[in-house]
Amino acid sequence: MSESLESLALLAHWRHELRTPINAILGYSQLLIEDWAGTAIAADLERIEAAGQDLLRLVNEILDPQSSDRALSLDDYQSRLRYALRTPVNTVCGYVELLLEEAPPELAESQTDLNRIRAAGERLLAQLEAMAAWDQPAQPATVALSAVEVEMAEAVLRYRQADSLQPAIAGGRLLVADDNEINRDVLQRRLSRLGHDVVCVASGQEALTLLAQEPFDLLFLDVMMPGLTGFEVLQKLKADPTLAELPVLMISALDDLESVIRCLRLGATDYLTKPFEPTLLQTRLETCLERKRLRDRELDYLRNVAIVTDAAVAVEAGDYDRDRLQTVAERNDALGQLARMFRQMTRSVEQRETQLKQTIQRLELQIDTATVKTQVQEITESDYFRNLESRARQIRRDRGYRSTPRDRHD
């Protein structure tokens, strides 16, 4: 493993190691704040939680694999971390000690969680001390790097060595709604370079009007706009059955958690903060478009299933039209095969019905002929008909005798 890859893998390793106790500090402090909301104890708990947020921010900033400075040594990184993290770690441990020492009786049930926070703080301090050996030659062999950490380091190297961004999924038709002209221009140019057709509007109402008239694959939506805000546009989109499936990627300067949560609850697909990082923008966009195309295929499949189902109902009702399955039968999947088999079966049924009708017609004709013969026979064999026939013969004979030779000659 090369030295640069080793260094990046170690950064990933320590980023994971540091964030684990920080997550414990944040998780338990937030639970305790909820338990003791509105009390004097809550104020100290909020200070612990705020120090935990500072710790998380500092670790993310200093050890960010995408923005890490290649000119820095591992010793430089550990020096930065030890300097930056020591104050918030001491804040966490100090307030926990105060709470445990001055804890009123009602805090007894929370002491277990406070001890967990203190243990996480002590673990952080121990990790900061261990970082002092990063640059020693023997240290890499003593750190067990996981396959994931090495893979992350390799991904960072590939990103740094790339001359330019690879194109995203091509062919997307994107709509950008932002009231700031500069923001629209930057985003349009960035998205166009990724191979997409981009249309921009300056308000939420313009976006809704255009979406009702033209098809788009995705909407980039700013939160703070005059007139309709991004929140209101989201509500209207999700209330419209024809637009509810359109993925919406919020992009805003607002980075507070409440705004992000509100957008996601209203139906946004994802959320990006300005200024956006190009690689993150591309990744989020690709994910949204892939999800959109998968959903489109799913909806198309369900529509075709409904066509096959309707065809079965029509056969049962005697109102089947063979052409209604034409588009489904052209599919190259199992549903298309089912439609083709269904058409063959209905064709066979139609042929058998036609043959049956012809057989019935022949039988009806034979039955009619036999009935007529029977009726004629009944008439000709009756006594009345025989008497009539005898009288007719007698009349013919009488006429023959009465005619004179002259009459016969004439």
Side-chain angles (χ1 to χ4, degrees):
M1 184 166 58
S2 67
E3 182 180 358
S4 59
L5 181 60
E6 179 94 41
S7 301
L8 289 170
L10 281 170
L11 291 181
H13 170 79
W14 284 108
R15 187 167 61 253
H16 174 267
E17 291 298 309
L18 291 172
R19 289 180 65 167
T20 298
I22 292 173
N23 287 336
I25 292 171
L26 288 173
Y28 285 117
S29 63
Q30 289 165 355
L31 289 171
L32 289 171
I33 289 171
E34 294 175 4
D35 293 339
W36 296 98
T39 67
I41 297 172
D44 287 343
L45 292 171
E46 288 171 355
R47 293 185 181 97
I48 294 172
E49 197 266 346
Q53 295 288 358
D54 286 341
L55 287 168
L56 183 61
R57 176 181 57 80
L58 289 168
V59 169
N60 288 342
E61 289 178 356
I62 296 173
L63 297 180
D64 181 1
Q66 302 295 347
S67 61
S68 55
D69 191 343
R70 281 167 282 182
L72 294 179
S73 67
L74 291 176
D75 187 60
D76 293 327
Y77 279 110
Q78 67 90 6
S79 297
R80 283 188 177 187
L81 285 168
R82 294 179 70 190
Y83 176 79
L85 301 188
R86 187 164 297 277
T87 297
V89 171
N90 288 334
T91 299
V92 170
C93 294
Y95 277 106
V96 169
E97 291 294 339
L98 286 173
L99 285 171
L100 289 172
E101 291 173 3
E102 303 172 356
E106 60 268 22
L107 194 61
E109 295 182 359
S110 301
Q111 286 185 359
T112 300
D113 288 345
L114 287 172
N115 283 320
R116 288 169 176 163
I117 295 174
R118 180 171 61 180
E122 292 173 350
R123 179 180 172 184
L124 270 175
L125 288 173
Q127 288 171 333
L128 291 176
E129 293 300 326
M131 290 179 189
W134 271 13
D135 248 4
Q136 297 180 9
Q139 179 61 21
T142 65
V143 177
L145 299 176
S146 69
V148 174
E149 290 162 349
V150 174
E151 183 180 350
M152 291 174 62
E154 292 172 342
V156 173
L157 286 178
R158 288 195 299 270
Y159 169 74
R160 287 178 172 176
Q161 293 167 359
D163 294 331
S164 60
L165 292 175
Q166 295 298 320
I169 299 175
R173 190 160 191 266
L174 314 178
L175 178 61
V176 175
D178 194 316
D179 63 305
N180 186 287
E181 184 178 357
I182 294 176
N183 290 340
R184 293 197 304 272
D185 181 61
V186 171
L187 191 54
Q188 181 178 30
R189 291 170 65 180
R190 174 65 64 187
L191 296 173
S192 297
R193 287 184 182 183
L194 295 174
H196 299 285
D197 178 19
V198 186
V199 179
C200 294
V201 294
S203 70
Q205 186 57 59
E206 288 180 87
L208 290 173
T209 301
L210 198 57
L211 286 170
Q213 298 172 349
E214 303 177 22
F216 287 91
D217 295 313
L218 183 139
L219 169 64
F220 280 92
L221 182 62
D222 187 22
V223 175
M224 301 304 295
M225 291 187 293
L228 290 176
T229 66
F231 301 128
E232 293 170 320
V233 173
L234 268 176
Q235 289 176 318
K236 291 181 178 295
L237 284 175
K238 299 307 172 181
D240 186 341
T242 62
L243 298 175
E245 297 291 340
L246 178 72
V248 180
L249 205 162
M250 307 301 295
I251 186 162
S252 174
L254 296 175
D255 60 354
D256 58 290
L257 185 60
E258 290 77 10
S259 296
V260 176
I261 292 175
R262 184 178 178 186
C263 287
L264 294 177
R265 284 179 173 172
L266 288 173
T269 309
D270 211 332
Y271 194 106
L272 277 174
T273 56
K274 303 173 188 175
F276 53 82
E277 203 284 321
T279 305
L280 184 59
L281 170 70
Q282 176 179 339
T283 302
R284 298 282 179 85
L285 174 59
E286 288 177 346
T287 301
C288 290
L289 287 178
E290 182 63 23
R291 188 181 305 170
K292 166 70 162 49
R293 287 165 186 176
L294 287 173
R295 180 57 176 164
D296 287 345
R297 288 198 289 269
E298 180 184 11
L299 292 175
D300 179 66
Y301 191 87
L302 292 174
R303 283 191 293 268
N304 281 275
V305 168
I307 292 174
V308 175
T309 304
D310 291 342
V313 174
V315 168
E316 187 176 9
D319 189 27
Y320 172 71
D321 180 4
R322 189 183 305 166
D323 293 336
R324 73 172 65 196
L325 286 179
Q326 179 62 36
T327 56
V328 187
E330 293 173 356
R331 296 174 63 100
N332 293 322
D333 56 7
L335 185 60
Q337 182 179 6
L338 175 62
R340 290 190 293 272
M341 292 178 61
F342 190 93
R343 295 181 73 190
Q344 292 174 358
M345 291 173 60
T346 54
R347 187 178 295 110
S348 298
V349 170
E350 289 176 351
Q351 292 174 351
R352 286 197 295 270
E353 287 181 348
T354 301
Q355 294 172 354
L356 181 60
K357 288 179 180 178
Q358 293 173 350
T359 302
I360 291 173
Q361 289 175 352
R362 288 195 297 270
L363 288 173
E364 289 177 344
L365 180 60
Q366 293 174 1
I367 291 171
D368 289 343
T369 303
T371 301
V372 170
K373 289 182 177 179
T374 300
Q375 291 175 348
V376 170
Q377 187 175 3
E378 289 176 353
I379 293 172
T380 56
E381 292 181 356
S382 66
D383 293 339
Y384 178 76
F385 184 82
R386 290 193 182 96
N387 291 332
L388 287 177
E389 188 178 26
S390 176
R391 292 178 60 187
R393 287 196 298 269
Q394 183 62 44
I395 291 172
R396 286 196 296 272
R397 284 196 298 268
D398 292 344
R399 285 183 177 177
Y401 290 135
R402 290 175 184 175
S403 60
T404 62
R406 184 176 178 181
D407 293 331
R408 288 194 301 269
H409 179 73
D410 292 338

